[in-house]
Amino acid sequence: MAQDEFHAYWVIVTSFFVAYVLAMLPLPSWLLAARPEWLALVLVYWVIALPHRVGILTALVVGVGMDVLEGAVLGQNALALIVVALLSLLLYQRLRVFSLSQQVAVVFILVGIHQLICQWVQNLEGAGATDFAFLLPAVTSALLWPVALHSLRALRRRYQVS
């Protein structure tokens, strides 16, 4: 039983590592503004799928890790991901039964909230955007939600993570 527990956490940790890699992957300059929030997508999936394993503490840890990777203000991504995880925990039973198009809309809102919190912190330090282009990652993340959902679900079923 203990090995199954370890195996389940290993799959979750690996999926977050892949999200970190995708978040730091070099992109052309014209595509940088629309980079999807991979970490938020993975976090939302695991919170919906396994709320007893992934939650606020996980959001704090991966958020601080993202702050360090991006060189952002320490706590910026952590705060944003904690809010996303909290909202996902509050809605996880509903999100499970929503249709895919409804889930896409909710993910758009959740990632939009993430982006707004990050933008707010950046404005406090004087480095915020001056237009609404900072919300483009919410659009691309919502469009990529079906891919993330089906990929992570297949991974969870393949390795029997519960």
Side-chain angles (χ1 to χ4, degrees), residues 6-30:
F6 177 74
H7 186 67
Y9 283 115
W10 181 249
V11 171
I12 294 169
V13 167
T14 303
S15 67
F16 279 114
F17 177 75
V18 170
Y20 279 130
V21 170
L22 289 172
M24 299 311 293
L25 200 65
L27 292 176
S29 59
W30 59 271

Side-chain angles (χ1 to χ4, degrees), residues 26-61:
L27 292 176
S29 59
W30 59 271
L31 194 56
L32 277 176
R35 179 190 300 271
E37 286 295 332
W38 294 107
L39 205 57
L41 288 177
V42 171
L43 179 68
V44 168
Y45 174 78
W46 286 118
V47 168
I48 293 169
L50 302 172
H52 60 283
R53 288 191 189 267
V54 178
I56 304 295
L57 183 62
T58 306
L60 174 68
V61 171

Side-chain angles (χ1 to χ4, degrees), residues 33-34 129 131-137:
D131 56 0
F132 287 104
F134 70 91
L135 287 173
L136 279 175

